Amino acid sequence: MSDESIASSRKLKRSRAAEEGSDRSHKQQKLENEIDAIRNHLPEVQDAAVYAERNLAGSREDILEHAKSENTIGILPRPNTIEAVYYDYLKWSISDYNKNKASTSKKRVAALIVEKDTSVGAHARYIRSKPVLDGASCSTNISAKPRKDTLQSDVLITTSTKLLEALSGGVLKMKNFHSIVFEDVQPIRNQDCHSFLPVVQVMNNFYFTLSSSSKPRIFAVALSSHPSPSQFDSKMLQLELTLDCRVFGVSEERRQEIIHLPNNPNETIVLYDSVAQKVSQTPLYQKLLKLDPSKKHWRRFFRAADTAFSKLGNCASDLVWRLALKEIEAKIPTWQEDDDPDSTHGIQIRMRDTVRNWTFTMPNLNPSAPGFNVTHKFLRLVQVLETCENYGENFRALIFVQHRSTAYALAEMLRMVNDKISFTRPIWVSGSLDFYEQQSLLSNFAAGIYNVLVATKSVEDIGIPNASMVIRFDLFDDQMSHAHARSCARGRESHLIHLVERNNDYHRQVLDRSSSDSAAILQWMDAFHRSPRVPPPPQKLKSSSRTYLSDDEDETDEENRESYLVHPTTSGRIYPQEATTVLISLVSHLREELPFPEGQSLFDFQLVKGKKTQGSQFTCSINLPGTNVDGITGSAVQSIYLARRSASFEACKRLLAMGVLDHRMVPLPSSLVPHVHGLENLEGAKVAGTRRYPVKQPDFWGKGNTGPVSILYPTVLAIESHQTQYSPIVLLTRQPLPPLMEFNLFASGNRVVVRSFRGAPFEVDDNQMKKIRGFSMRVFRSFLNKPLNCALENMTYFLAPLVSWQMKDAHGLTLPQLESSLDWALMGQATDSWIVPIRHGSAEEIEEDLADAVIQDRWIEFTRRYHVVKVRADMSPLSKPEPTEREASHESFLAYVEANRQNFSGLENEDQPLVEVEKVLPLLSNLSPRVKDLIPPSKAAARFLIPELCGNLLRTSLLLPSILWRMEHLLIVKEMNNRFFDNALREGLLSEAITSVSAGMDYDYERLELLGDSFLKYLSSIFVFVTNPTQNEGSLHISRQKVISNRALLQAAIRIDIPPYVRSTLFNTKSWVPPNFITLALTGKDKTKGSGAGGKGEGEGPAAGGDDDASPSNMSPETTKGNKSTLPSLGRARSASEGVPSELDSAASSKKKKSKRAKKTNEDEGPTQPLGDKALADVVEAITGAAYISGGRECALRVLKIMTVPIPGISQWSDFGSRVVIPYANTVAHLRAESIATVEKIIGHKFREPHLLAQAMIYGSDTLINFMVIRHIYDRDRALSPGGLTLLKSAMVSNDTLAAICVSCGLHEHLLFESHQLFNQIQQYASQIKQKAVEEYRDAEENQRPPGQYWVGVEPPKTLSDLVESIIGAVYISDNFSPVGAEAFFDNVLRPFFDKHITLQTLTHHPTKTLFELIQAHGCQMMKITKDPRRDGVTTCHVLIHDETLSTASGPTPTSAARKASIMALEAIKEDASLLSKCDCRGRVKDKNSWMAQGFSRALSSLIEEHSDGTGGDGIQTEMRVAAD
């Protein structure tokens, strides 16, 4: 038939169709008038009418025209014969390709993809018999070696399965096609476009990997029995995304409507009971344990059996051994069958035979039966599955579990209970299976061969098919895991079920956190599950340090390190299946810093032609522009999901090697996840509430810090001081240090700030390492003044100087380069000589050399060191030594040298300036200003030195022991925060919370402990009030003590192993040595003062890089003078108290002495420290305070739950509101009904439940007020010690103060009284208070001081303070335990009053007594007040602390002067906490009660005794006596 006849035939059909359509339209209108009008609004009716009226031939024409301009899906009715639209499109596409193709390009063909093999032949016969393609040829042949006519024909007709095989095997490429036509994609839509359908794999693996210009056109037909636009739903939208097409006839409004429809699964929580089973070990387990009591042969299987028992019961424990049998048999060679039965192999054979011959029992689901052998959790799972029988063949259930052993046992047990759930066909899959096994199982699950799939967490990201029911058998505290589980469901038509243990607060927390995801995150996660090509998340993902035993971890021992990455900071591990989540989490946290193009995919994929025996493989590249991991490519693997894993793992490896992988993104191995310990330690012997605990050492200095060096990681240590110049120095480590917060040190009592800046790693050769080691050895030996030595292979870290350096920090994933900034010349000089000479020409040269230096006056290695005061250009070696004690008997400084230095040959320059110095005194540490220099020796020290005779050392080196110790402490803090608290706490606060006063640092936990104690009392009061609504106040107090008592908090600390992280011992620089270093005996060369180089008359020590490089392995006992430091830490130091007998040691010495073997065992266990029970309870409270400041009450509550503080049933603050029951209570005070609005205006908040005002809500209200007060003054008076905070808190929360506030704000005027006597008492009190307030304000104004506590001394009716507490309690409970109302009351009423009337300066005590109580609370014993002689009628008084003046004031009498000086001292302490930081009295106190009782009079004794003129002395005594009383 010609083209003209075809066109004529089509016109005739259109004309007839138009006539029929007109008649049909008239009949339809008549019908609509006769039926109910509701029907007219049903979309399915409207769509049917439209399609009924539509000309089908015209519809095909419209679809075809649309397909010529963009990829299209056409919805057409299912034909009785072959649909002609395929051929119309193929004819056009072939013609269009031939018209536009380049003459030099390779031939491309069109493809018609069908699903059935029979359809291939039918289409081929039709094309060959009918001239539908204008003579175009077709081919159906695809084989391993394609025939020549395959690509020479115009059309290739094949099935999707064969096309996938050809593309995967490299027989064909997607570039070979210019157009692809899909015969019917309706089955793909019906199966949710799951990733294991061949068409979906073709699109994902081959089509989307091409550039836009190389992609073929796509035309698809969806055949339906009832075609209509209403078929466009979420499944059809997914089909559009899968085929990169648009459905014809669907408006953009309809598409957006579907996009924005919620497509979430129905989430359900199923509770199960945790019931301990009677028998923990099955007969099989016991028999195997008898053969292998130590579990050394098949330890992994014993562990897996234990896990299966805990999850599923005894039945599962035995089934694990059946799974293990195949592996056990494979590991026992047949030639060992006749071995001795007691040998290792003999035991393994007997264990194998035991398992092989065992009869395994069936699951017993009857809880009341004696043979009940499953957990209630498994029983609930079976009950859930029983409800799904009516789903029919479309039923698919996906069950996520944690362990591989659980997956296997669960699938087997479900098969065994077939009588209960006969419609199920279970199978299991895990990461331990190879790719082809996984693919086969997942494909069979998608096809319905299996309809229950039990999967481990390790396979959640490999494209699991969607299911009608997803069950989280094990809950994972992981945002990505929840997203995967949610995305595996079939949207609105499916169910997501969480199995939750009843009364398990941790499970509730997991669900709470997973339910808080934003809509943007949920949408991104759905896209991530559907396609491996996704942009970075739109928001930060919630990363968790808690991991779950992966399949790899289950198989891997510590020696097989190649299978996972280890982060040096926390020992966290990254397995390949976790790498994608780690990388995405990292990118989400750095998105603002990374220049990532909007909408660009994070992953790019490439197809790699496989070997002849393999199919095509895929590689994945990371797309992070501007970073060092941009373009990094993983290994070629069988699927794009595995390719994404491989690329992510390589990226993590690169980031880890670069030192920029955030440790917070890396999950911990199961061995490091906190476990709850028993309380055995509390039952042992103790002395005065003190026990010894091990001291935690940083994991950072563990494995990987010895051996040859090829790469170093630099960290610049920059020291800022306003008094002294310190040059930066570089710490070089074998592994990358994490970012460390800045910290303070103290040199001669002056504060210096240490900041660290990380640099990019660099490679080093042997020559460079020799210089680096030489410089490091020189610095270590010089500042410790000891003959230390260590072989290069054993040195944990190194030091290096800088030539020039500009302060730069890391940006995103990029670190600055520092290698070129290192001073290699100085390191080489240090390697050749211990001493660097000082230039002695001009004063400017000397000042330049001594800018950051300490100097020594002899040319030997170990000698005296001096600080440089200044260069004296006005003096020379010929100057007369006045005023100096050492050289006083000589005519000049040069004469002194000539007389005292052997073999002195004279100076080169006798006119050189001198250097004024002061001797460097030994120091315990630089951690606190309270640690003072040791007393200088009585022998006269040099004050002036001749530069030509001196050498210089880096001043910075003197601070290195304390710097390195602080860095070690910060590493411990990072580990603790990561391991216990999931990085929820601010590191500075956590560091403060675990540091005791005795550690001798510039901060301790006392302030945080006060805040945490008040929060814990507040929380526990609410808890016992909510959980015990019928108990009286006395019973509630007893219940509360079970939560907040020191013993309860001590038990919490012991349970999760907090004590090793606490720092309580004083650091001693003199005892510190770097790890693995040894102390050598001084040789004669070191000691002798022979003629040295330059004729200066001093012998030189050995060079740093000389031949005396002794390692611990080759040192003889005679060569060592000290012990080797073997601790895996920055350095080992004895505490300042070690070696001094303590009360604990004295008590222990009365018992039988330990044997030498026992002592050696204790040394091998590592260092220990004594900690008091009360101190550990305080640490728990301090950590609570740190948590509250870090993240508010929810964070504090979560941290308390982590520390196992007993608060059952409460996992988030809203649980209080859901559990509270308000009991009937006696009325305390009624408010007038008309006064409610006025009271609401006063407090600044509206009552939700006004009737609660009449209830006795006082219990707990006082603790809430206490907490808000402590929090307020903690924040307001940040420099105030805990003692000062307590003084202020006591004044603020007293009944007197609350009553005065009640009157001040006018609340008392709205009380409705039942007693006339009470009314009179309140009115009388209010009148007195108001009068005293007027007098106080007048006096304060006249004396130019703030108003004070005018209400003190007037006894108030308790009703007034009760009213304040009742209102704040009622507001709090009315708001469902939300703090909004209580905070408004505090901000509008309480805080303004407190800030106006209650400060240190306005307390009612005599200011001198207030000052003393404050100093006393700090623990200081060295405060006194002195008086200068009276002059011109004015007396001047001074407040001294440790002989340093704190304040000075004058007045007409000693009384007024002392008062003013005390007030000024209080103001100074409030503004600057460092004024008290130099006090070290607390460490020396023995009998606190005696000195506290006499301290006040002792503080004033000097003032009273020194009053010599008789004026005002009696007044002072009288006033002070009154104040003391």
Side-chain angles (χ1 to χ4, degrees), residues 180 183 211 215 240 244 257 367 378 423 587 611 780 793 911 961 1069 1080 1110 1157 1173 1236 1392 1472:
I180 299 179
E183 179 190 37
S211 62
K215 291 177 180 178
E240 282 191 340
D244 194 25
E257 179 184 349
F378 175 77
F423 64 94
V587 172
K611 299 179 181 178
F780 287 135
E793 292 76 12
D911 295 326
T1069 300
L1080 306 175
R1157 180 179 301 176
D1173 293 351
I1236 296 296
D1472 187 2

Side-chain angles (χ1 to χ4, degrees), residues 33 64 138 154 176 280 372 384 457 612 726 771 774 799 1003 1198 1216 1250 1475 1485:
N33 294 332
L64 185 60
C138 68
D154 296 300
N176 295 141
S280 60
F372 181 62
V384 169
K457 183 178 184 294
K612 293 182 179 181
Y726 292 91
K771 293 181 179 180
L799 301 171
Y1003 57 78
R1198 182 182 178 189
F1216 289 121
L1475 296 175
V1485 172

Side-chain angles (χ1 to χ4, degrees), residues 1450-1472:
S1450 301
T1453 66
T1455 302
S1456 61
R1459 184 185 187 96
K1460 290 180 180 178
S1462 298
I1463 291 175
M1464 293 176 64
L1466 290 171
E1467 293 176 349
I1469 292 173
K1470 177 183 177 181
E1471 297 298 328
D1472 187 2

Side-chain angles (χ1 to χ4, degrees), residues 1403-1467:
L1403 290 177
T1404 54
H1405 295 315
H1406 187 283
T1408 304
K1409 183 176 181 181
T1410 301
L1411 176 63
F1412 172 72
E1413 289 180 351
L1414 179 62
I1415 300 300
Q1416 169 184 294
H1418 187 77
C1420 180
Q1421 308 173 59
M1422 301 297 293
M1423 171 193 144
K1424 63 181 179 179
I1425 300 176
T1426 62
K1427 178 182 68 68
D1428 292 343
R1430 185 178 179 86
R1431 293 182 181 177
D1432 300 328
V1434 176
T1435 301
T1436 300
C1437 290
H1438 310 275
V1439 176
L1440 303 179
I1441 296 180
H1442 285 266
D1443 297 325
E1444 293 188 10
T1445 302
L1446 186 61
S1447 64
T1448 300
S1450 301
T1453 66
T1455 302
S1456 61
R1459 184 185 187 96
K1460 290 180 180 178
S1462 298
I1463 291 175
M1464 293 176 64
L1466 290 171
E1467 293 176 349

Side-chain angles (χ1 to χ4, degrees), residues 920-1115:
V920 176
L921 300 177
L923 185 67
L924 291 179
S925 77
N926 299 98
L927 301 180
S928 170
R930 297 194 297 267
V931 180
K932 300 182 181 297
D933 295 338
L934 298 181
I935 300 175
S938 57
K939 185 177 178 180
R943 286 192 55 197
F944 301 96
L945 296 179
I946 302 173
E948 187 178 341
L949 303 180
C950 300
N952 70 337
L953 308 168
L954 287 175
R955 181 186 292 116
T956 306
S957 64
L958 300 179
L959 300 177
L960 281 175
S962 297
I963 291 175
L964 296 174
W965 192 92
R966 281 299 303 269
M967 293 176 69
E968 176 181 292
H969 178 62
L970 293 178
L971 290 172
I972 292 289
V973 169
K974 286 183 179 291
E975 285 187 46
M976 186 180 189
N977 200 15
N978 186 257
R979 180 182 180 189
F980 292 103
F981 308 120
D982 205 10
N983 303 298
L985 275 63
R986 285 158 46 184
E987 291 180 359
L989 293 172
L990 181 57
S991 175
E992 185 176 331
I994 61 173
T995 303
S996 71
V997 177
S998 59
M1001 298 177 66
D1002 61 321
Y1003 57 78
D1004 55 63
Y1005 59 62
E1006 288 190 338
R1007 276 175 55 91
L1008 283 175
E1009 181 264 328
L1010 183 66
L1011 179 65
D1013 174 71
S1014 64
F1015 177 84
L1016 193 55
K1017 289 176 180 176
Y1018 152 53
L1019 171 67
S1020 60
S1021 297
I1022 299 173
F1023 172 71
V1024 298
F1025 174 77
V1026 168
T1027 56
N1028 304 279
T1030 61
Q1031 291 186 0
N1032 57 35
E1033 187 167 342
S1035 299
L1036 292 176
H1037 177 73
I1038 294 173
S1039 300
R1040 192 180 77 161
Q1041 286 301 112
K1042 295 178 181 178
V1043 179
I1044 66 173
S1045 67
N1046 285 338
R1047 182 162 183 83
L1049 300 181
L1050 171 65
Q1051 291 173 346
I1054 297 295
R1055 284 193 194 99
I1056 66 170
D1057 203 25
I1058 284 179
Y1061 294 86
V1062 179
R1063 288 298 177 259
S1064 66
T1065 53
L1066 188 66
F1067 175 65
N1068 188 349
T1069 300
K1070 295 185 65 176
S1071 303
W1072 183 89
V1073 291
N1076 300 330
F1077 273 61
I1078 60 173
T1079 306
L1080 306 175
L1082 285 173
T1083 65
K1085 183 178 180 181
D1086 295 320
K1087 299 177 181 179
T1088 304
K1089 298 181 180 181
S1091 56
K1096 305 306 177 189
E1098 297 289 352
E1100 291 187 5
D1107 298 332
D1108 61 333
D1109 293 353
S1111 65
S1113 59
N1114 59 26
M1115 291 301 301

